[in-house]
DNA sequence: TAGATTGTTAATCGATTAACAATC
DNA sequence: TAGATTGTTAATCGATTAACAATC
């Protein structure tokens, strides 16, 4: 798991897809797979698959290919899925509630520990047994609890100030659903989900003048 | 708006971000902006901005820069936002409901015309005045109404078969939230939002062995 | 006019693909 | 052993950045 450094973002962005296909193969009791076979399923070239995997180690074997279970485990580890993460959701609107209700993240090690909102009508309501708290208590909550990932689902005008509160309290990972580019120190990882940008990409491509 | 062909996906994926920043400038009554100034805001190089915009036309003026209102309008047009789109949501679970409730898409021209689900308990319920219908009526609905974009929010095991129904009925755009790679004819545009892949990217980066 | 800034070409950088020796 | 398939180097391709003449 420690071969080359400076893995490019292009490679990292492909890893979850490898993971998904390997999980499927594992579930179908496939024992081994060659880069060529995987290539046909996943749609990357065999060459690229070998290059990608080689960033992290010699996972294959000449003449044989890759052991599915082993490769799956390696990628699971690279993706950080051997660990557990404490998460909080900030903003219990449409998206915040949808994410809160989504139990699959719990299953793979992302534990939702609290939900915050600005709307008093929501205080005390529970989603999957987790109470929605006053956003004014966020700062003190963070001082008492370790949070690995904060999921920002507030309107964009509030996102930066929320971001500063959580960063100040040592949160290192942000999953940002607000349609804004957050300003953070270098050591904080921000992963954006910009739904409207995705929809606009679709409408752009639909107007095939391109 | 019709300069070069073969615009790369890298450029297209940046367009929504240009649009967002230009909207902000416009709202702040900024009249003109140079590639250098925009560069500092948006975080792309000035050179890249000029290259990107030049794919679509000569929008700038030497010695002056770009007229914000004009450039905004051009990009709005390139993104296909001068048109209206009829959309349907298939799958009224967490994500489907969140998207259905999200009125901002309506505001920019994406009209939700129907919602479908497999769960009889949901039939007849309304989200923003739009009734949830039996998924078995999807095929006949599509034969009667023009749908530009189908938003797939069903579990991955059902996504491909749903996809085939909508493609068969001439839907050309798919916004796919199911964690699966859909198989579609070439002339159908699929834009994926794979939330779990986004989350896994985040946890991968958080484990900074990279 | 002089200064500013574009559009565009050329140079660089990085990512993907091809090729093949190593080896299971 | 012979066949298969990797790991890895080299070649290609594409995207980004730099440079500058054109021109407002």
């Amino acid at each position: 798991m420690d071969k080359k450094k400076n893995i490019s973002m292009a490679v990292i962005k492909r890893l979850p897809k490898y993971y998904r296909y390997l999980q499927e193969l594992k579930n179908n009791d496939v024992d081994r797979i060659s880069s060529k076979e995987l290539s046909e399923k996943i749609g990357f070239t065999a060459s690229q698959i070998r290059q990608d995997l080689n960033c992290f180690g010699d996972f294959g074997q000449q003449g044989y290919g890759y052991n599915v279970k082993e490769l799956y485990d390696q990628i699971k580890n690279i993706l950080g899925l051997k660990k557990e993460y404490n998460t909080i959701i900030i903003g219990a609107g449409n998206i915040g509630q949808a994410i809160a209700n989504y139990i699959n993240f719990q299953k793979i090690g992302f534990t939702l520990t609290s939900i915050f909102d600005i709307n008093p009508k929501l205080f005390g309501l529970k989603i999957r047994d987790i109470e929605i708290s006053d956003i004014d208590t966020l700062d003190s909550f963070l001082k008492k609890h370790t949070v690995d990932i904060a999921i920002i689902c507030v309107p964009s005008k509030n996102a930066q100030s929320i971001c500063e509160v959580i960063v100040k309290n040592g949160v290192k990972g942000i999953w940002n659903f607000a349609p804004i580019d957050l300003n953070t120190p270098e050591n904080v990882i921000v992963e954006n989900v910009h739904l409207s940008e995705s929809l606009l990409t679709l409408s752009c491509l639909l107007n095939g003048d391109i």
Side-chain angles (χ1 to χ4, degrees), chain A residues 147-151 166 170-175 187-191:
Chain A
V147 169
D148 303 295
I149 295 170
I151 306 171
I166 60 182
V171 175
K172 288 285 178 288
I174 296 175
W175 202 20
N187 65 333
V188 173
I189 312 288
V190 178
E191 169 72 17

Side-chain angles (χ1 to χ4, degrees), chain A residues 116-118 123 133-141 162 165:
Chain A
F116 298 89
D117 201 279
I118 203 169
F123 300 166
S133 301
D134 186 343
I135 190 127
D136 286 344
T137 67
L138 173 61
D139 189 75
S140 66
F141 177 90
I162 293 291
V165 173

Side-chain angles (χ1 to χ4, degrees), chain A residues 181-193:
Chain A
D181 300 305
L182 294 171
N183 219 286
T184 52
E186 271 196 10
N187 65 333
V188 173
I189 312 288
V190 178
E191 169 72 17
N192 290 307
V193 178

Side-chain angles (χ1 to χ4, degrees), chain A residues 129-184:
Chain A
D129 264 341
I130 298 142
E131 209 168 280
I132 300 175
S133 301
D134 186 343
I135 190 127
D136 286 344
T137 67
L138 173 61
D139 189 75
S140 66
F141 177 90
L142 289 168
K143 287 188 167 42
K144 278 186 244 121
H145 303 87
T146 300
V147 169
D148 303 295
I149 295 170
I151 306 171
I152 296 185
C153 303
V154 301
S156 53
K157 68 176 186 303
N158 305 321
Q160 183 60 43
S161 63
I162 293 291
C163 175
E164 273 151 32
V165 173
I166 60 182
V167 165
K168 189 187 66 183
N169 283 287
V171 175
K172 288 285 178 288
I174 296 175
W175 202 20
N176 176 45
F177 287 76
I180 191 181
D181 300 305
L182 294 171
N183 219 286
T184 52

